[in-house]
Amino acid sequence: MAGVRLERIGKRVGTTDILQDVSLAIPDGEFWVVVGPSGCGKSTVLRTIAGLETPTQGEVFLGDRCVTAVSPQQRDVAMVFQNYALYPNLTVAENLGFGLKMRGVPAAAIAERVTQTAQMLGLEPLLHRKPAQLSGGQQQRVALGRRSPGNPTYFCWMNPCPTWMPNCGTVPVPNSNCCINAWGSPPYMSPTIAPKP
């Protein structure tokens, strides 16, 4: 089982409660969207799941494993940030393969995974370009693709679809057991896990 479970999560900064008693259970294989106004804690929930925020109370479970005190690197969660976090001096292909290269994956395996990811996300004609030469939607697909080659179990996206409009309903989610989005209110449309037939 690879679902996500939050049990009575709280996050306090100083005297301000960012999250209060948040509990949810996302079954294995489901795609969830967290919707709400700015400042309501959507991003904090995702960051808590990914291990980038430590809750002041409660527990985080990935599958059957409590990961509340586990580092982000050991959670198998890919986080796609709203600002994309691409390396401006690297090409699309180099950005896609960067994480694998840092893990010591052989060059031939990196090239194969980069090609597969680029095909899935429609980035093949852009592999030689640098981020400044891409549209916002293309940059976002590269950001997603940077997290994809390692086949993470979980994806957390910050505002994934506005730059992909009007095709938001056909956002491909690479081999992920669980995908969670955080959107500002109101949502643009309900995305699907895989392209429509």
Side-chain angles (χ1 to χ4, degrees), residues 82-128:
Q82 189 171 357
N83 69 358
Y84 314 137
L86 300 177
Y87 296 108
N89 59 320
L90 301 181
T91 65
V92 168
E94 292 166 333
N95 266 286
L96 291 175
F98 185 80
L100 297 172
K101 183 177 179 182
M102 292 297 100
R103 285 187 244 150
V105 174
I110 293 172
E112 182 180 336
R113 288 188 187 169
V114 165
T115 299
Q116 290 170 349
T117 301
Q119 288 172 345
M120 180 179 56
L121 295 173
L123 294 170
E124 295 164 283
L126 308 174
L127 288 173
H128 65 282

Side-chain angles (χ1 to χ4, degrees), residues 122-142:
L123 294 170
E124 295 164 283
L126 308 174
L127 288 173
H128 65 282
R129 293 189 190 176
K130 294 197 175 174
Q133 300 170 306
L134 304 174
S135 71
Q138 291 166 337
Q139 288 179 14
Q140 193 165 46
R141 285 186 279 152
V142 175

